[in-house]
């Protein structure tokens, strides 16, 4: 990371204070919990995990140091399922994060869309937010995900949640606030994509490579020892002469 992009010491300190606050809130929620699956404890746990993750990243970026905190995986992040045994409806919630890595490429793609629609010269393609509106209005989200580099975007984290319900929602019922009424205990499954998981896999791969190299070195040493022993032995025919 370049010096210009490094977090300041004050930002790292603020992140550390946020972890302390989250710890206090988590302890308070645990002390007041109403049962084994108290949603307040679950929410406080998630806030503590998020604060610890931010602090860990800033600490590493600023000082090249790490913490012993572990980011919970998807299998640890969901409370026990308490939704209907035989759901009659489901909702699929998707979040994908992108960084606008190449604004000029994004603007060029937006201008091509306008030209194809006969709207050349429209002010929409002259700004990044206008270009994004054109892009997502023209292509399906899955197509943008598969072609994000063409559009000057860089992928961030993403997640997909499948939640169950007894009955389908009424038309237009949740359009004003589509993501505010998610019950974590009715999530059937979720699938997360994050660079942090790639780092964990890379670390495991490095360990496997080191183990393989150690085994190769051991085999080489054993072969050399066997060769030395063979050289020390005198041929049997020589004894019989």
């Amino acid at each position: 990371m370049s010096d210009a992009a490094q977090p300041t010491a004050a930002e790292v300190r603020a992140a550390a204070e946020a972890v302390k606050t989250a710890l206090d809130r988590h302890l308070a929620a645990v002390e007041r919990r109403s049962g084994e699956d108290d949603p307040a404890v679950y929410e406080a746990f998630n806030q503590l995990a998020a604060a610890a993750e931010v602090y860990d990243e800033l600490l590493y970026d600023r000082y090249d140091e790490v913490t012993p905190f572990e980011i919970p995986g998807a299998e640890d992040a969901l409370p026990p399922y308490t939704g209907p045994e035989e759901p009659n409806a489901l909702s699929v919630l998707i979040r994908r994060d992108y960084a606008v890595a190449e604004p000029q490429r994004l603007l060029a793609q937006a201008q091509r869309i306008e030209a194809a629609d006969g709207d050349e010269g429209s002010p929409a393609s002259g700004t990044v937010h206008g270009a994004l509106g054109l892009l997502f209005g023209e292509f399906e989200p899955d197509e943008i995900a598969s072609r994000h580099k063409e559009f000057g975007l860089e992928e961030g984290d993403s997640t997909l949640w499948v939640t169950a319900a007894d009955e389908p929602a009424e038309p237009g019922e949740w359009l004003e606030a589509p993501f505010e009424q998610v019950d974590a205990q009715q999530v059937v499954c979720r699938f997360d994509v994050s660079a942090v998981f790639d780092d964990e896999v890379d670390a495991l791969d490095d360990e496997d490579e080191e183990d393989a190299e150690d085994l190769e070195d051991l085999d080489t040493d054993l072969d050399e020892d066997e060769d030395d022993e063979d050289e020390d032995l005198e041929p049997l025919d020589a004894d019989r002469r």
Side-chain angles (χ1 to χ4, degrees), residues 192-209:
D192 298 328
V193 177
S194 174
V196 71
F197 303 135
D198 297 337
D199 294 340
E200 292 174 359
V201 172
D202 291 342
L204 291 175
D205 290 342
D206 291 342
E207 291 178 4
D208 291 341
E209 289 178 3

Side-chain angles (χ1 to χ4, degrees), residues 46-63:
N46 282 341
Q47 291 175 350
L48 175 56
E53 180 180 354
V54 171
Y55 172 63
D56 189 82
E57 291 178 353
L58 292 178
L59 185 71
Y60 181 79
D61 290 344
R62 176 71 184 180
Y63 300 110

Side-chain angles (χ1 to χ4, degrees), residues 119-146:
D119 296 330
E120 291 187 68
S122 170
S125 64
T127 62
V128 170
H129 71 271
L132 288 170
L134 286 170
L135 182 68
F136 282 88
E138 180 72 16
F139 300 104
E140 292 290 333
D142 287 343
E143 184 172 359
I144 293 174
S146 65

Side-chain angles (χ1 to χ4, degrees), residues 16 21 46 115 148 190 234:
T21 301
N46 282 341
H148 62 278
R190 61 179 285 185
E234 296 181 0

